[in-house]
């Protein structure tokens, strides 16, 4: 069986980290490392995830000598960089307003993410999820969210967009900045229809190619008590 050898080859070929692959497969990084070093064998569920990640058949993943066969393959599912604490648990990284410009261009850089503040919330479970927090500026999110509110979102991969409900509030990391909108996915058009919470702002469409990350709203932290007259 060539699984351990193939995993190392495929990761290097795709330029992804053990953390990336472990997160996608739902295991810890040391567990993935044990697979690559032929110390443990993954379950059938994890093998299926690996096969999906690399867009390769299980037979080839387990038995073929991919490196010597000159395997090239095709681009696999979307992945992202994360940080973990000393116990191996995923952090919630905090992107303050002043860091937005840097995040837009470096969101996939693990070294950049290490520079961000991180935290955990006891009332939000991150088990099986990747969470991130963004400080949102501007009036387009009024009256539901005050400026400088911190919105916590769960990462939605583009291959899972069908699970996103129409009108779901999301943080979108775009080529031009970070916005908080109600999202309507139009897969047949390759676009997103975005609606602001503030009715004074016009809705607009955005091509899928201009959206780098999508984070589904989970919770928010505010510095002011919302005015009930605004609802």
């Amino acid at each position: 069986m060539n699984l351990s050898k193939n995993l190392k080859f495929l990761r290097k070929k795709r330029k992804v980290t053990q953390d990336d692959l472990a997160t996608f497969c739902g295991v810890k990084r040391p567990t993935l490392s044990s697979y690559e070093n032929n110390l443990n064998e993954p379950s059938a569920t994890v093998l299926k995830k690996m096969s999906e990640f690399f867009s390769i058949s299980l037979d080839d993943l387990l038995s073929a000598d991919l490196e010597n066969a000159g395997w090239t393959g095709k681009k696999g599912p979307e992945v992202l960089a994360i940080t973990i604490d000393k116990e191996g648990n995923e952090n919630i990284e905090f992107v303050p307003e002043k860091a937005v410009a840097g995040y837009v261009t470096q969101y996939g850089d693990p070294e950049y993410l290490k520079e961000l503040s991180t935290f955990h919330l006891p009332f939000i479970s991150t088990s099986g999820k990747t969470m991130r927090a963004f400080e949102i500026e501007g009036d387009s999110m009024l009256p539901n969210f005050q400026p400088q509110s911190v919105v916590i979102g769960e990462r939605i991969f583009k291959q899972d967009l069908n699970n996103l409900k129409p009108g779901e509030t999301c943080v979108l990391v775009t080529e031009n900045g970070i916005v908080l909108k109600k999202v309507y996915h139009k897969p047949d058009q390759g676009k997103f229809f975005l609606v602001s919470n503030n009715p004074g702002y016009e809705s607009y469409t955005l091509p899928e190619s201009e959206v780098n990350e999508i984070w589904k709203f989970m919770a928010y932290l505010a510095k002011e008590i919302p005015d009930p007259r605004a609802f």
Side-chain angles (χ1 to χ4, degrees), residues 123-141:
F123 55 87
I124 294 182
S125 172
T126 58
S127 178
K129 302 175 182 178
T130 295
M131 316 283 280
R132 199 152 290 166
F134 300 86
E135 185 178 29
I136 304 297
E137 282 288 351
D139 296 333
S140 66
M141 61 185 182

Side-chain angles (χ1 to χ4, degrees), residues 56-73:
I56 189 172
S57 70
L58 278 174
D59 285 343
D60 284 346
L61 181 62
L62 293 170
S63 304
D65 188 343
L66 299 178
E67 185 172 11
N68 290 331
W71 184 89
T72 56

